[in-house]
């Protein structure tokens, strides 16, 4: 690799190999089993697959290696595999496997390079998975073994004895890594998404939250499966503060202790949920996802909040497909058709955000001065679902809400988000959540 580390794999009986590599420019080398012949080429590994590199080894006297019996199933990994050549008369491979963990906190370590250096030369390497597990095939005998990781210096080689006909298990603890607990989390894909409250249980009291669904919700988001996640708290038209959390295991979530708040200007509050979130900070909370992934329970002491999943957010993306001007053709709010002003338009574009950032934005254009120019930032939560937030809320908007029911539609989308449905011609789009919708036609 460009970092100086090595990863590797052993080809099958047909000469095919497969291994995982970081993207970037690296050197690829094929070495014969007897370490006598080799060939080296530069390679560029790109994201998204399609990285196919064939190599040809010369200097084998034109005599191909002869394999005794192809491996046909997983159980054959425990059986010795023998190949013969003019220079190496009898080489037997056996399975070596184990788990790599962080020594200080005894958590699994993923993406660690595990290499065995056979006594006859060469190197055999693999990478630990998200649970810290690795496995590779090695010649029998006593060989040096070394574990390296991008976040620490290479660890000294140790000896591993590989025996024939058995699983050779070797676990390793790696020290010297950054042990900040907020740098990692056990995968918890089911938790990711936007959730709305439906019930709150406090001791013997049960408080129905369904009437407050329009007012509040929580986002759980993982930047990657093994990183700590982010919890964003939402109160109607405002996004409140964000805190970090990590999944310890068995549904137990630990939240980072930090002050988060929320501006109440122009928004309706769900105080039951607000108090519960404040209590979670710095605590370990028990979670359970049920009902085929559609219901989430968070329990802390004698309190429990029950949420309903509104949508997933494991496929976040940006998309400029909607950019441009659209005529407003139809609008419904909770199933009831509402009047629209002639000439009303919706504009999708990019706008300047804070700290020099650029964000996708929706702007509502109307000939009536009162409501012309109201803006909403938006982003894709998954492939066909966007979330919105009002970016220029003011007292003027409060007055306009009372006069123009189109504001109710945008407020509803602000509370829940909406599905994006483009027709085949890409000239008509529907923004819709449940029975609230906007039908737009491209200008």
């Amino acid at each position: 690799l460009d970092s100086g580390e090595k990863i590797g794999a052993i080809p099958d009986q047909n000469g095919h190999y497969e291994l995982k590599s970081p993207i970037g420019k690296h050197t690829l080398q094929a070495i014969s089993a007897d370490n006598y012949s080799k060939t080296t080429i530069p390679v560029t590994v790109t994201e998204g697959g399609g990285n196919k590199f064939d190599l040809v080894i010369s200097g084998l006297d034109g005599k191909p290696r002869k394999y005794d019996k192809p491996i046909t199933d997983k159980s054959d990994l425990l059986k010795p595999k023998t190949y013969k050549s003019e220079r190496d008369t009898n080489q037997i491979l056996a399975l070596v496997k184990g788990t790599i963990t962080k020594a200080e906190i005894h958590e699994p370590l993923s993406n660690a390079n595990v290499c065995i250096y056979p006594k006859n030369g060469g190197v055999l390497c693999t990478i630990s998975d998200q649970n810290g597990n690795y496995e590779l095939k090695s010649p029998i005998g006593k060989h040096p073994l070394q574990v390296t990781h991008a976040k620490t210096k290479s660890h000294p080689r140790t000896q591993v004895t590989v025996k024939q006909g058995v699983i050779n298990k070797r676990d390793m603890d790696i020290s010297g890594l950054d042990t900040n607990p907020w740098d990692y989390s056990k995968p918890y894909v089911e938790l990711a998404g936007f959730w709305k409250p439906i019930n709150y249980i406090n001791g013997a009291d049960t408080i129905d939250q369904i009437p407050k669904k329009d007012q509040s919700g929580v986002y759980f988001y993982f930047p990657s499966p093994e990183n700590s996640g982010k919890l964003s708290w939402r109160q109607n038209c405002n996004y409140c503060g964000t805190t970090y959390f990590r999944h310890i295991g068995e549904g137990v979530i630990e939240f980072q202790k930090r002050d988060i708040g929320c501006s109440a200007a122009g928004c309706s509050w769900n105080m039951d949920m607000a108090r519960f979130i404040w209590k979670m900070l710095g605590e370990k909370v028990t979670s359970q996802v049920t009902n085929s992934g559609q219901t989430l329970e968070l329990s802390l002491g004698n309190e429990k909040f029950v949420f309903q999943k509104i949508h997933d957010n494991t496929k976040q993306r940006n998309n400029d497909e909607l950019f441009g001007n659209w005529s407003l053709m139809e609008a419904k709010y909770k199933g009831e058709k509402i009047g629209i002003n002639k000439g009303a338009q919706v504009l999708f574009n990019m706008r300047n955000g804070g700290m020099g950032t650029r964000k996708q934005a929706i702007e509502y254009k109307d000939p009536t001065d009162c409501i012309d120019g109201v803006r909403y930032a938006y982003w894709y939560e998954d492939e066909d679902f966007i979330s919105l937030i009002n970016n220029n809320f003011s007292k003027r908007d409060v007055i306009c809400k009372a006069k123009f029911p189109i504001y109710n539609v945008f407020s509803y989308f602000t509370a829940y988000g909406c599905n994006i449905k483009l027709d085949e011609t890409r000239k008509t789009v529907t923004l819709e959540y449940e029975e609230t919708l906007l039908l737009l036609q491209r200008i």
Side-chain angles (χ1 to χ4, degrees):
L1 304 180
D2 54 3
S3 64
E5 297 177 302
K6 296 179 180 180
I7 58 175
I10 299 177
D12 62 18
Q13 64 266 23
N14 297 312
H16 299 148
Y17 73 94
E18 182 176 303
L19 52 81
K20 297 178 181 178
S21 165
I23 61 175
K25 294 183 179 181
H26 310 293
T27 300
L28 181 64
Q29 185 176 66
I31 306 174
S32 62
D34 51 19
N35 202 34
Y36 184 83
S37 302
K38 65 180 68 174
T39 186
T40 304
I41 62 172
V43 296
T44 300
V45 180
T46 59
E47 189 175 3
N51 299 288
K52 187 174 187 300
F53 308 107
D54 298 329
L55 299 98
V56 177
I57 297 182
S58 59
L60 295 178
D61 301 328
K63 298 178 181 180
R65 301 188 178 279
K66 299 177 182 178
Y67 291 80
D68 58 341
K69 186 179 72 172
I71 293 179
T72 57
D73 60 354
K74 199 73 172 178
S75 63
D76 282 342
L77 290 174
L78 298 180
K79 301 175 183 178
K81 180 182 178 182
T82 306
Y83 52 86
K84 298 178 180 180
S85 73
E86 296 300 315
R87 302 183 182 89
D88 189 1
T89 59
N90 197 21
Q91 182 92 332
I92 299 175
L93 302 180
L95 184 67
V96 180
K97 64 186 300 185
T99 302
I100 309 300
T101 54
K102 300 179 182 180
E104 293 86 353
I105 52 180
H106 305 295
E107 291 282 349
L109 177 61
S110 61
N111 298 317
N113 294 317
V114 184
C115 294
I116 291 178
Y117 298 82
K119 57 186 178 182
N120 67 336
V123 59
L124 305 169
C125 298
T126 188
I127 299 176
S128 61
D129 63 19
Q130 63 185 17
N131 297 313
N133 298 324
Y134 76 92
E135 64 177 55
L136 53 77
K137 289 175 283 184
S138 166
I140 62 172
K142 194 171 184 179
H143 312 291
L145 180 148
Q146 187 176 40
V147 178
T148 61
H149 194 275
K151 292 186 177 181
T152 185
K153 297 179 180 179
S154 298
H155 279 247
R157 297 183 183 183
T158 184
Q159 294 292 319
V160 59
T161 300
V162 182
K163 297 180 180 180
Q164 179 180 344
V166 299
I167 294 177
N168 298 275
K169 188 166 175 56
R170 183 61 177 269
D171 298 333
M172 299 279 289
D173 274 342
I174 302 301
S175 60
L177 287 155
D178 182 0
T179 57
N180 181 354
W182 302 106
D183 283 347
Y184 66 92
S185 172
K186 291 188 176 180
Y188 198 172
V189 177
E190 299 85 354
L191 187 64
F194 182 42
W195 304 81
K196 286 283 190 176
I198 56 177
N199 222 344
Y200 171 51
I201 302 169
N202 187 355
D205 299 327
T206 299
I207 303 172
D208 184 12
Q209 296 292 301
I210 291 179
K212 302 179 181 182
K213 282 176 65 178
D214 291 357
Q215 301 174 8
S216 54
V218 291
Y219 274 95
F220 286 94
Y221 169 64
F222 290 94
S224 73
E226 299 164 18
N227 284 50
S228 58
K230 295 181 180 180
L231 167 69
S232 294
W233 163 33
R234 188 168 187 168
Q235 288 284 8
N236 200 354
C237 62
N238 281 343
Y239 267 99
C240 303
T242 298
T243 189
Y244 290 92
F245 70 90
R246 67 187 189 110
H247 178 221
I248 299 174
E250 303 297 329
V252 178
I253 304 170
E254 182 178 11
F255 289 89
Q256 191 178 51
K257 186 172 181 59
R258 60 182 299 183
D259 293 329
I260 60 175
C262 187
S263 171
C267 293
S268 301
W269 271 59
N270 181 346
M271 290 306 302
D272 293 331
M273 197 182 79
R275 282 190 289 264
F276 187 79
I277 289 176
W278 286 324
K279 288 180 182 179
M280 291 195 310
L281 302 179
E283 301 291 338
K284 292 182 174 67
V285 177
T286 302
S287 69
Q288 185 177 11
V289 178
T290 59
N291 190 25
S292 299
Q294 299 305 303
T295 303
L296 168 66
E297 296 181 2
L298 297 179
S299 300
L300 179 62
N302 64 347
E303 296 182 62
K304 178 190 293 186
F305 240 96
V306 184
F307 297 87
Q308 174 190 350
K309 177 170 276 191
I310 302 302
H311 61 79
D312 193 11
N313 66 354
T314 58
K315 302 176 183 177
Q316 293 196 356
R317 65 170 185 145
N318 291 320
N319 193 333
D320 61 2
E321 195 169 28
L322 297 177
F323 282 13
N325 283 55
W326 301 75
S327 293
L328 180 57
M329 308 301 294
E330 183 182 351
K332 288 184 180 180
Y333 177 64
K334 294 186 177 180
E336 183 178 345
K337 194 170 183 177
I338 60 177
I340 55 177
N341 293 327
K342 186 177 180 179
Q345 296 181 14
V346 175
L347 171 64
F348 290 84
N349 60 10
M350 296 291 292
R351 71 173 187 87
N352 292 323
M355 304 297 289
T357 60
R358 298 272 290 168
K359 296 183 179 180
Q360 297 176 123
I362 300 174
E363 185 172 352
Y364 181 67
K365 307 287 289 183
D366 192 284
T368 306
D369 291 339
C370 181
I371 58 176
D372 184 54
V374 64
R375 277 196 317 272
Y376 299 83
Y378 78 94
W379 58 94
Y380 281 81
E381 297 291 354
D382 52 38
E383 292 182 355
D384 299 298
F385 197 101
I386 62 173
S387 284
L388 293 78
I389 183 170
N390 192 336
N391 268 235
N392 59 346
F393 193 90
S394 67
K395 291 182 179 180
R396 182 204 68 172
D397 299 318
V398 176
I399 298 172
C400 291
K401 277 187 175 183
K403 294 183 178 180
F404 299 95
I406 194 69
Y407 268 100
N408 292 330
V409 176
F410 280 105
S411 294
Y412 196 74
F413 290 162
T414 301
Y416 287 93
C418 61
N419 294 291
I420 300 294
K421 298 179 181 178
L422 277 160
D423 70 351
E424 292 182 358
T425 66
R426 317 315 257 183
K427 294 182 179 180
T428 302
V429 64
T430 303
L431 281 59
E432 181 179 17
Y433 186 75
E434 294 180 341
E435 295 183 281
T436 298
L437 67 82
L438 293 177
L439 177 62
L440 309 175
Q441 187 175 62
R442 191 184 293 274
I443 298 175

